[in-house]
């Protein structure tokens, strides 16, 4: 068992939410608790959402800022917490999905007024796919929200997860009086802008204590007693193993802006959240306490200076110890590389790091060696699985407006797609280049970056596809036949894997029915598993 002390100390997680639910505010409060920042307002939010689509300059500037907040490392009660940031804008959803592959758990923020929203659903789908343990923080209790029982039911139903309230709210909006902690049976009264001190906590022996009536008033005290009896009756004590198995999500109520309910959640988080976990690879399971280093790249960030095409690749360490200046094996390229200036992200400052342990994220200076999903080892050949490429939702053909710059264009497309900005497909039987993205915004970013970083001028023609499915078959002949007949709808992804581009769900279902020997996959994962 190597490095066990270091592993036990680490918790790596992400906060996810629909835009505006309070992710940035909660992040800031957590950093304040961790002493990583001194004043409120210090976290530059990843607020791409506040800008119109055409403000891509602003978006790029903000993405630059977000490098610094991509990973926030802080210490709280001797636990080293790595908080991985996820972009708020839905057009960068794929970025978020990939970041979720690098964490061991998540905190999901839900706005008590709006309940479950579109992005909440999509993000939870990814968590469910990976069985990621989730803690729910119901935010904005200082606003008139939904009925607390209705909201619980809505979250359970819409997100297909069992909830386990850890605290219970006393009213909401102007009448919000605080929370009752079902775990340690204490009462926490709400005052705006609390510093999260222990002094506001009232310990009680039982809810029948007269002090409860005194503090809450008889009516609210009676309601609380009724609610708690009901909730306790249904849920009992939290079984931590059910949370770790992603079967149950503990729920906390609070108001991030008022720093209320945050400390309870953080204290529980460090008590129950999973340590760095073992992870599946194409060959075997790799566990954090192994002696040899392994890790994978889940995010690549380009330098904003167009004169320098260097990038930062974010690698999650999965096993062993990462050391500066040591040679590691880049599995895909089959070559050994060392890093003289790896970054860590302690206290939001980028600083050069000498070593890193499982659960940590290191920023590797990259001149074009990395793409998303790349694995570093100490010699063994495997890939971490579960880092899927999802199907894009908007497809456009790339048209080169300047034939003199064809080479630059090809290079730019390859590098941008390595970064995961978009996916690139080449149509069968021609050389049509198709870009697939999750949101319109990325097309603007690509167009802008191709011009400013590579000198290539392009225009996009929208194509009538709605999904890309990776196709495989045990019967190569059948696959070849399908490809021949469906030339206009079949292409190759960047790794040369065959992809069927479907015009609509109807077409996709029809092809599935007509071609029972061919399998249609919504992620590219299938190819990694066999790599
Ligand atoms: P996001 O990162 O999830 O997109 O959300 P963010 O934290 O930026 O919060 C969105 C808005 O909700 C912000 O207001 C923020 O102040 C507010 N907010 C966060 N937590 C609470 C809470 O507990 N109660 C109430 N009432 N509001 C909360 P804004 O006006 O959009 O931004 P700002 O001008 O305050 O920065």
């Amino acid at each position: 068992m190597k490095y066990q002390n270091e592993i036990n100390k680490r918790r790596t997680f992400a906060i996810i939410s629909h835009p505006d639910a309070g992710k940035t505010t909660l992040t800031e409060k957590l950093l304040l608790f961790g002493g990583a920042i001194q004043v409120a307002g210090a976290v530059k939010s990843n607020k791409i959402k506040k800008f119109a689509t055409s403000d891509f300059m602003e978006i790029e500037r903000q993405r630059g800022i977000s490098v610094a907040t991509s990973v926030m490392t802080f210490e709280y009660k001797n636990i080293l917490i790595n908080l991985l940031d996820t972009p708020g804008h839905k057009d960068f959803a794929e970025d978020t999905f990939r970041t979720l592959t690098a964490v061991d758990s998540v905190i999901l923020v839900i706005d008590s007024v709006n309940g479950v929203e579109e992005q909440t659903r999509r993000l939870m789908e990814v968590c469910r796919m990976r069985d990621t343990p989730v803690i729910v923080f119901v935010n904005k209790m200082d606003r008139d929200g939904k009925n607390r029982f209705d909201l619980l039911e809505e979250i359970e139903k819409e997100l297909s997860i069992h909830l386990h309230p850890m605290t219970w709210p006393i009213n909401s909006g102007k009448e919000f009086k605080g929370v009752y902690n079902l775990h340690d049976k204490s009462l926490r009264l709400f005052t705006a802008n609390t510093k999260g001190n222990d002094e506001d906590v009232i310990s009680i022996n039982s809810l029948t204590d007269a002090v409860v009536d005194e503090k809450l008033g008889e009516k609210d005290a009676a309601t609380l007693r009724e609610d708690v009896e009901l909730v306790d009756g249904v849920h009992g004590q939290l079984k931590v193993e059910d949370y770790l198995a992603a079967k149950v999500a503990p729920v906390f109520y609070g108001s991030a802006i008022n720093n209320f309910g945050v400390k309870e959640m953080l204290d529980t988080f460090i008590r129950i959240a999973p340590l760095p976990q073992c992870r599946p690879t194409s060959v075997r399971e790799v566990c954090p306490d192994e002696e040899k280093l392994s890790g994978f790249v889940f995010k690549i960030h380009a330098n904003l200076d167009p004169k320098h095409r260097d990038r930062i690749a974010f690698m999650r360490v999965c096993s062993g110890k990462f050391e500066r200046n040591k040679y590691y094996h880049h599995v895909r390229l089959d070559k050994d590389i060392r890093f003289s200036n790896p970054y860590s992200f302690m206290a939001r400052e980028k600083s050069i790091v000498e070593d890193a342990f499982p659960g940590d994220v290191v920023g590797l200076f990259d001149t074009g060696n990395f793409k998303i999903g790349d694995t570093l080892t100490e010699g063994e050949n495997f890939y971490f699985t579960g880092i899927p490429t999802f199907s894009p939702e908007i497809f456009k053909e790339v048209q080169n407006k300047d034939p003199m710059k064809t080479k630059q264009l090809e290079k730019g497309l390859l590098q941008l797609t390595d970064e995961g900005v978009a996916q690139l497909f080449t149509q069968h039987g021609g050389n049509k280049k198709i870009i697939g993205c999750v949101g319109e915004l990325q097309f603007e970013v690509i167009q802008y970056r191709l011009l400013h970083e590579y000198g290539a001028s392009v225009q996009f023609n929208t194509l009538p596809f709605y999904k890309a499915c990776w196709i495989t078959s045990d019967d190569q002949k059948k696959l070849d036949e399908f490809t021949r007949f469906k030339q206009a709808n079949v292409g190759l992804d960047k790794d040369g894997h065959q992809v069927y581009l479907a015009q609509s769900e109807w077409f996709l279902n029809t092809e599935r029915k007509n071609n029972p020997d061919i399998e249609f996959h919504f992620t590219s994962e299938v190819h990694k598993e066999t790599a």
Side-chain angles (χ1 to χ4, degrees):
M1 303 282 255
K2 270 289 213 194
Y3 316 120
Q4 200 60 52
N5 285 344
E6 297 291 345
I7 296 166
N8 290 348
K9 257 185 89 168
R10 281 163 169 80
R11 306 287 182 279
T12 302
F13 80 109
I15 303 181
I16 54 175
S17 75
H18 188 85
D20 266 347
K23 182 169 70 73
T24 312
T25 314
L26 181 65
T27 301
E28 182 172 289
K29 302 302 173 196
L30 293 177
L31 293 183
L32 279 167
F33 278 119
I37 53 169
Q38 268 30 315
V39 286
V43 175
K44 287 283 166 290
S45 90
N46 212 341
K47 268 196 182 160
I48 292 170
K49 61 184 189 282
K50 291 250 157 119
F51 297 91
T53 315
S54 55
D55 279 335
F56 47 81
M57 282 287 285
E58 184 55 22
I59 290 155
E60 283 303 283
R61 197 181 64 76
Q62 300 228 350
R63 277 167 68 79
I65 291 169
S66 75
V67 174
T69 57
S70 286
V71 185
M72 292 162 271
T73 299
F74 61 97
E75 249 187 83
Y76 179 70
K77 297 191 173 171
N78 289 327
I79 297 290
L80 201 83
I81 299 174
N82 292 311
L83 167 52
L84 275 50
D85 192 28
T86 54
H89 198 290
K90 74 170 173 33
D91 285 7
F92 292 95
E94 216 180 325
D95 240 24
T96 300
F97 297 160
R98 282 192 296 256
T99 298
L100 291 182
T101 65
V103 300
D104 299 301
S105 70
V106 306
I107 290 178
L108 169 66
V109 184
I110 288 183
D111 181 329
S112 69
V113 182
N114 296 335
V116 174
E117 296 171 88
E118 187 201 337
Q119 279 292 93
T120 332
R121 266 182 225 108
R122 297 187 62 182
L123 291 163
M124 264 305 289
E125 252 167 56
V126 179
C127 292
R128 264 202 314 276
M129 261 173 61
R130 308 177 49 79
D131 287 332
T132 309
V134 177
I135 291 179
V136 176
F137 185 75
V138 179
N139 191 27
K140 306 197 186 179
M141 288 306 295
D142 58 319
R143 297 186 54 200
D144 286 320
K146 300 189 173 193
N147 171 290
R148 50 207 178 283
F149 286 104
D150 291 349
L151 182 60
L152 278 189
E153 198 179 312
E154 175 184 323
I155 301 172
E156 288 209 324
K157 234 198 225 143
E158 295 244 3
L159 303 183
S160 310
I161 185 153
H162 293 295
L163 298 179
H164 187 111
M166 303 294 283
T167 59
W168 192 253
I170 303 150
N171 302 330
S172 65
K174 283 204 181 67
E175 299 298 313
F176 183 52
K177 290 193 177 160
V179 291
Y180 174 69
N181 189 323
L182 293 146
H183 174 70
D184 66 15
K185 315 230 176 301
S186 61
L187 199 58
R188 179 97 194 275
L189 298 180
F190 174 69
T191 37
N193 290 316
T194 49
K195 292 195 190 74
N197 289 333
D198 291 331
E199 297 123 50
D200 325 315
V201 182
I202 301 165
S203 284
I204 47 178
N205 292 324
S206 140
L207 266 179
T208 52
D209 277 7
V211 66
V212 178
D213 298 82
E214 191 187 301
K215 296 282 180 194
L216 301 182
E218 271 177 33
K219 186 170 152 276
D220 287 336
T223 310
L224 178 65
R225 287 180 190 119
E226 256 171 55
D227 284 1
V228 168
E229 199 181 326
L230 205 69
V231 173
D232 257 349
V234 175
H235 296 283
Q237 279 290 321
L238 173 76
K239 288 200 184 83
V240 177
E241 63 273 22
D242 287 346
Y243 154 69
L244 292 173
K247 288 188 187 141
V248 166
V251 183
F252 290 85
Y253 293 84
S255 169
I257 195 105
N258 291 298
N259 203 3
F260 186 83
V262 178
K263 186 169 179 293
E264 275 93 342
M265 184 182 65
L266 184 57
D267 284 335
T268 305
F269 172 83
I270 57 166
R271 187 168 58 85
I272 66 172
L275 317 179
Q277 297 292 295
C278 296
R279 286 171 172 259
T281 73
S282 51
V283 173
R284 63 183 181 87
E285 191 173 66
V286 169
C287 288
D289 59 3
E290 292 181 17
E291 178 148 5
K292 293 197 168 149
L293 171 102
S294 68
F296 67 90
V297 172
F298 63 93
K299 180 183 178 113
I300 294 176
H301 213 299
N303 192 321
L304 284 183
D305 183 350
K307 283 186 243 82
H308 299 114
R309 270 204 213 117
D310 47 304
R311 317 184 278 190
I312 299 177
F314 291 81
M315 184 182 79
R316 147 102 194 199
V317 179
C318 297
S319 68
K321 179 181 176 184
F322 174 88
E323 288 173 74
R324 180 180 166 197
N325 278 326
K326 185 168 169 178
Y327 276 98
Y328 292 113
H329 183 58
H330 187 310
V331 175
R332 181 175 55 88
L333 298 182
D334 190 21
K335 86 178 187 192
D336 292 343
I337 325 184
R338 71 188 172 130
F339 303 91
S340 48
N341 295 315
Y343 294 126
S344 80
F345 303 87
M346 193 76 181
R348 300 181 56 249
E349 293 288 318
K350 257 186 349 191
S351 55
I352 289 177
V353 67
E354 293 299 326
D355 48 34
F357 295 93
D360 286 344
V361 173
V362 283
L364 305 175
F365 183 77
D366 176 38
T367 47
N369 281 320
F370 283 117
K371 64 183 192 182
I372 305 280
D374 276 347
T375 301
L376 286 187
T377 67
E378 287 191 41
E380 207 176 333
N381 283 322
F382 58 71
Y383 291 100
F384 283 93
T385 52
I387 312 160
T389 303
F390 292 90
S391 172
E393 286 161 21
I394 308 171
F395 297 83
K396 295 191 184 192
E397 181 191 346
V398 184
Q399 263 199 345
N400 188 358
K401 290 210 297 194
D402 181 358
M404 301 294 287
K405 295 281 168 65
T406 305
K407 270 216 169 113
Q408 285 87 332
L409 173 62
E410 301 228 328
K411 187 168 180 190
L413 282 175
L414 283 179
Q415 292 205 347
L416 292 186
T417 47
D418 274 354
E419 275 175 38
V421 179
Q423 289 177 54
L424 181 66
F425 304 101
T426 313
Q427 200 165 31
H428 233 273
N431 207 17
K432 207 190 256 184
K433 296 256 186 298
I434 300 171
I435 294 270
C437 289
V438 183
E440 284 287 349
L441 211 56
Q442 277 122 318
F443 287 101
E444 297 205 24
V445 171
I446 292 165
Q447 196 175 34
Y448 178 85
R449 287 189 55 190
L450 281 175
L451 186 62
H452 287 85
E453 291 172 36
Y454 300 89
S457 170
V458 296
Q459 114 188 3
F460 294 113
N461 298 334
T462 305
L463 295 171
F465 301 129
Y466 104 113
K467 257 216 165 105
C469 293
W470 282 263
I471 46 175
T472 57
S473 176
D474 292 334
D475 188 339
Q476 188 59 40
K477 247 169 103 184
K478 287 258 163 61
L479 198 59
D480 292 344
E481 225 168 69
F482 180 81
T483 315
R484 211 169 40 247
F485 280 121
K486 301 281 164 198
Q487 273 201 13
N489 288 75
V490 177
L492 296 177
D493 75 3
K494 259 179 79 178
D495 300 318
H497 299 308
Q498 284 189 317
V499 174
Y500 169 68
L501 301 163
Q503 282 107 312
S504 70
E505 202 167 342
W506 184 86
F507 273 103
L508 178 59
N509 288 337
T510 310
E511 294 301 356
R512 274 183 148 158
K513 233 181 273 154
N514 292 346
N515 299 281
D517 297 314
I518 295 178
E519 283 191 67
F520 296 76
H521 312 268
F522 285 112
T523 75
S524 65
E525 181 79 275
V526 58
H527 292 291
K528 276 271 169 60
E529 271 160 18
T530 52

